[in-house]
Amino acid sequence: MGVEGKERHRELDAGAQVLSGHMGKTIQRLRKAYNLSLSELAEQSGVAKSIISQIERNETNPTLATIWRLSQALDVSIERVLATSDEEPFIEKSTRADTPILLSEDGKVRLAIIGWLKTIEWLQWYDVQAEPGGVLDSDGHQRGSVECLSVLEGEFEVEVGDVVQRAKAGETLRYRCDRRHTIRAVGDTPGHATMVCILKAAVMD
C-alpha cells in the first residue's frame, strides 16, 4: 500500500474511532438505564453480544445497520446514539481527523461525511473526491428520496434506471435516489463535488 493509501486509511480510522468512542458510551449508558444485560440487548436487537461488548469498549467500528438495530432496541433515534454530547455548542467545529470517511468498492471515490449527525435520518451531505474512472454504486433509499450532486471540479456522470446525465464544474444534477443509482467520475482529471441526500423528499415525479 502506498503512502497516500495509508494516509487515507488513517483518516478513515480516525474519523470512525471518534464516532464509535462517543457511541459506545451512549449505548452503554442507555443499556444500563433500561437495566439490560448484554445478552438481553443482543436478543432484542439481533446484534451479537460480543459485538455490543466491543462497541461499548470502543474496539470496533459498527456499520450503520448495526447502529440502527441497537437504536431500535433501545427505543431511541439514531441521531441520539450518534450524538457526541448532551449539550450542543453554539459553534461546532469538525477537523479533518474527526470527519468520518466512506470509500467506494473500487477505492476510487471518497465520501467525507460533512453533514450534521442529528439530521442523518432525513438529510445527509458529503464531500466527494473521485479519481478518474471512480464509480459509486448505491442501492435505493426511502421512496421519494432525492440527491443533489453539485460539481466543483472535473466531470461526473449519474445513471438512474436507463437515464444518464453528465455535469461539469458549476453544474448540479438532481435525481431520484429511491432506486439503484450510479455516480461515475468521467474524464482524465480527478472529480470533486458536494452531494446532498434528502430522504423522503417526495418532490420529484
Side-chain angles (χ1 to χ4, degrees), residues 51-201:
I51 297 297
I52 299 174
S53 180
Q54 289 174 7
I55 292 172
E56 291 188 356
R57 296 196 306 269
N58 191 26
E59 295 178 353
T60 187
N61 299 319
T63 64
L64 192 58
T66 296
I67 301 170
W68 175 257
R69 292 191 193 101
L70 290 171
S71 69
Q72 294 299 292
L74 293 167
D75 195 28
V76 294
S77 65
I78 196 169
E79 58 89 10
R80 184 177 174 189
V81 174
L82 292 171
T84 58
S85 67
D86 294 329
E87 295 184 6
E88 295 297 332
F90 288 106
I91 299 178
E92 183 177 83
K93 178 181 179 180
S94 295
T95 65
R96 184 177 182 180
D98 59 30
T99 300
I101 306 296
L102 304 175
L103 295 176
S104 61
E105 289 189 10
D106 62 7
K108 293 183 177 182
V109 182
R110 175 180 177 274
L111 287 84
I113 304 176
I114 57 176
W116 197 22
L117 291 175
K118 284 185 174 293
T119 70
I120 197 170
E121 293 182 27
W122 60 276
L123 178 65
Q124 305 167 4
W125 67 98
Y126 308 85
D127 180 79
V128 183
Q129 302 271 359
E131 299 175 22
V135 177
L136 179 66
D137 278 316
S138 301
D139 290 327
H141 305 306
Q142 293 99 314
R143 180 170 175 76
S145 298
V146 173
E147 273 183 4
C148 304
L149 185 76
S150 298
V151 182
L152 303 175
E153 297 175 359
E155 185 174 4
F156 286 86
E157 176 183 274
V158 172
E159 179 178 355
V160 184
D162 297 327
V163 180
V164 178
Q165 186 66 267
R166 290 191 176 189
K168 299 180 180 180
E171 299 177 331
T172 297
L173 294 175
R174 280 176 284 274
Y175 48 92
R176 288 278 294 269
C177 60
D178 57 359
R179 58 204 68 186
R180 189 168 184 82
H181 50 288
T182 302
I183 298 172
R184 302 183 184 91
V186 295
D188 300 323
T189 60
H192 184 200
T194 58
M195 182 173 69
V196 177
C197 181
I198 308 170
L199 303 178
K200 299 183 181 179

